[in-house]
Amino acid sequence: MNELSKFLTKRLGIFIVIYAAILLLTHLGDFKSKFSKIFKKNATALFSDFGSGGEVQFKKDQNKNDEYDLLFVMSSKQQKQRARKEGLRKGLKHVNITTIKFPINSWSFTGLLIVFYITLILATPMSWIQKILPTLYGLLFIYLFTNLKIWVALMLKFSDNYERFQVGLEPGILMRIINYTYNIISFQFFGLTMVLLIWFLTCFNKIKIPRYNKLIRI
Amino acid sequence: MKKKTKKKNQQKKQIIENRGSSLSINSSWEKLKSNPINKLLLKFFTLMIVFYIFWATPFIQENIILPISCLYAYLAGSFLNIFGYSVNILNDTVGNSNFSISIKNGCDGVEGLAIFLCAILIYPATISQKAKGVLIGFSFLILLNLIRVISLFLTGVHLPGIFDLMHESIWQIAFILLTLFALLKWVGWVSGEK
């Protein structure tokens, strides 16, 4: 085995050990539910009022048979106003509105990206000081990426039900672009690839890999 | 008079500070741009975006991705049948009365192949080195994905409790990491040849 293979195998081994340890910790403890709560808090703070009149509630998914932990419940001020008027017209005391709900798994949505990135950083042969900035950049990227995914998902769902909510985009080219973007960014492998790119961008220059140093100067 | 001069001095200072910060941003950007690895990464990123733009079209999904998924289902099903699991294969689904899996986006290994191909395309190497890299790398990744599909089916049958863990947290990461490992090995081999 040459120097490079030894180096790569050793780093891969270190990655596996750290990743397994983090996974074990997250699965044994109460970590996932705490993470879900933080996710919910952030989503509520940023997206409970969506666009012009959209309202989103982030609730705990009660269905224990599925893989999801959070439920996005969508309604709008316009929808409520219409229902109220309709109720008054009919002389009703209570009116019901139909919300749109969709579940997500906060762990797959974001948690896995964080664990992957942290493990990459920990397994990278750099000093602890050198690891600080890449960690911050990476986590900031994941945070922004997560919020972009939520925004796109909500925009798409509101637009799909434009007649009901009067929020989002009316059918057209912009909505098709949003739909297209959602198909790409909601895909977990896309997120992992982006995280890998961030790691490359922030860490790769600092690693002394046997044989690579002269090669990269091409 | 004094006040005016003070104000002017302050304005000059502000302009110099602004120039300083824009200069430092410019120089950081130049530094970032001039780094050969970052240049490669930028090309790689552009190619990956192009890949995803095509990948998301219904045409590619129906005519390329679906047949690949069906092929994996066929190969995995045939392998499992040799070992007596008596599975049925229907399009991209493999299974029996106990358990079945569908090979959807993310489990077809196409993205791993795309990462590998994009990286090889942008990396400075001869055509024959690139061709060897694609041939060996693709064979490795296709085999790896086949192992993933088979192992996931076996996990679903024998250890259903850890299926989600294996599916999401283990195999996805393993696949992207082993793609990177194969790439770095190829780059190392190319550098050895030089």
Side-chain angles (χ1 to χ4, degrees):
Chain A
M1 201 187 263
N2 63 28
E3 213 182 334
L4 175 71
S5 295
K6 267 186 204 166
F7 177 85
L8 292 178
T9 313
K10 186 183 166 191
R11 286 294 135 192
L12 188 66
I14 291 173
F15 181 95
I16 291 168
V17 170
I18 297 171
Y19 188 68
I22 295 179
L23 271 192
L24 203 66
L25 283 174
T26 55
H27 278 79
L28 288 181
D30 197 20
F31 188 85
K32 276 191 176 178
S33 72
K34 278 182 184 156
F35 180 80
S36 178
K37 277 178 193 161
I38 295 170
F39 187 98
K40 189 177 143 191
K41 211 173 164 184
N42 171 68
T44 306
L46 292 178
F47 301 105
S48 56
D49 288 319
F50 188 84
S52 51
E55 291 177 334
V56 189
Q57 282 180 295
F58 301 90
K59 292 181 174 174
K60 193 177 173 186
D61 187 13
Q62 303 293 350
N63 188 354
K64 286 185 177 164
N65 295 324
D66 62 27
E67 54 189 297
Y68 306 107
D69 61 337
L70 284 178
L71 202 60
F72 288 24
V73 184
M74 297 157 58
S75 60
S76 78
K77 288 190 176 98
Q78 293 88 319
Q79 180 195 19
K80 285 178 184 171
Q81 221 165 14
R82 269 203 322 271
R84 218 171 281 138
K85 272 184 190 171
E86 188 71 13
L88 282 173
R89 201 175 56 82
K90 288 180 181 169
L92 299 170
K93 281 187 178 175
H94 299 283
V95 282
N96 289 325
I97 55 161
T98 314
T99 55
I100 295 280
K101 296 173 186 173
F102 70 97
I104 68 150
N105 181 334
S106 64
W107 186 249
S108 316
F109 206 83
T110 305
L112 197 62
L113 298 183
I114 296 175
V115 171
F116 181 49
Y117 189 72
I118 298 272
T119 314
L120 275 176
I121 294 280
L122 289 176
T124 307
M126 303 190 297
S127 69
W128 287 101
I129 301 280
Q130 281 179 319
K131 287 180 186 187
I132 295 173
L133 269 183
T135 308
L136 293 178
Y137 287 144
L139 293 180
L140 178 68
F141 168 79
I142 294 170
Y143 177 72
L144 294 175
F145 182 65
T146 299
N147 288 323
L148 174 77
K149 277 204 291 188
I150 299 175
W151 183 86
V152 172
L154 288 173
M155 179 57 95
L156 186 67
K157 298 280 176 188
F158 270 117
S159 304
D160 275 345
N161 297 280
Y162 187 81
E163 279 191 15
R164 180 181 303 179
F165 297 125
Q166 302 288 305
V167 176
L169 302 165
E170 288 183 71
I173 186 84
L174 263 178
M175 193 183 152
R176 278 164 71 185
I177 291 172
I178 290 281
N179 193 4
Y180 204 73
T181 310
Y182 181 72
N183 285 342
I184 294 172
I185 65 170
S186 64
F187 187 50
Q188 205 180 33
F189 210 87
F190 180 80
L192 292 173
T193 311
M194 291 301 118
V195 164
L196 194 66
L197 270 176
I198 295 291
W199 173 77
F200 255 106
L201 200 66
T202 55
C203 297
F204 200 75
N205 285 328
K206 291 165 191 142
I207 314 171
K208 288 189 176 71
I209 306 179
R211 224 197 264 178
Y212 278 75
N213 292 344
K214 60 173 183 183
L215 178 80
I216 298 299
R217 280 190 218 106
I218 296 163
Chain B
M1 188 70 177
K2 255 188 181 178
K3 260 189 179 176
K4 268 191 176 177
T5 334
K6 206 178 171 186
K7 209 177 174 184
K8 268 190 178 177
N9 283 342
Q10 268 181 346
Q11 277 175 342
K12 269 185 189 173
K13 204 177 164 188
Q14 188 67 43
I15 289 166
I16 291 166
E17 272 175 8
N18 286 346
R19 271 187 196 161
S21 62
S22 68
L23 265 179
S24 70
I25 289 169
N26 280 344
S27 64
S28 316
W29 174 242
E30 285 304 320
K31 211 174 156 186
L32 199 74
K33 262 193 345 185
S34 61
N35 189 312
I37 295 176
N38 295 346
K39 275 184 188 171
L40 286 179
L41 282 179
L42 187 68
K43 283 184 196 169
F44 175 76
F45 179 75
T46 313
L47 273 182
M48 282 307 290
I49 293 295
V50 171
F51 159 74
Y52 273 111
I53 287 171
F54 280 105
W55 171 86
T57 57
F59 178 82
I60 298 285
Q61 285 291 323
E62 281 160 25
N63 296 296
I64 296 179
I65 306 295
L66 186 62
I68 290 175
S69 302
C70 293
L71 185 64
Y72 272 120
Y74 175 77
L75 291 173
S78 306
F79 182 86
L80 288 165
N81 279 334
I82 293 171
F83 288 89
Y85 279 90
S86 310
V87 293
N88 297 313
I89 306 156
L90 184 67
N91 299 326
D92 61 358
T93 305
V94 186
N96 53 26
S97 52
N98 296 326
F99 187 76
S100 70
I101 49 170
S102 274
I103 300 155
K104 300 289 180 199
N105 278 334
C107 286
D108 51 28
V110 171
E111 303 73 31
L113 296 180
I115 290 178
F116 195 80
L117 182 66
C118 292
I120 281 187
L121 284 178
I122 53 125
Y123 197 80
T126 64
I127 300 284
S128 81
Q129 285 171 332
K130 287 183 188 215
K132 272 183 196 168
V134 169
L135 195 72
I136 298 170
F138 271 33
S139 309
F140 169 68
L141 292 176
I142 289 167
L143 186 67
L144 187 70
N145 203 45
L146 195 59
I147 294 171
R148 164 157 73 168
V149 174
I150 292 166
S151 75
L152 282 176
F153 178 82
L154 294 176
T155 308
V157 171
H158 299 292
L159 298 160
I162 62 161
F163 179 80
D164 284 338
L165 176 77
M166 286 293 284
H167 181 228
E168 281 187 354
S169 306
I170 309 277
W171 265 115
Q172 294 241 48
I173 302 293
F175 200 77
I176 199 164
L177 209 66
L178 289 170
T179 306
L180 179 68
F181 186 83
L183 253 177
L184 292 175
K185 284 283 283 180
W186 176 77
V187 173
W189 172 72
V190 169
S191 75
E193 286 223 323
K194 281 177 182 175

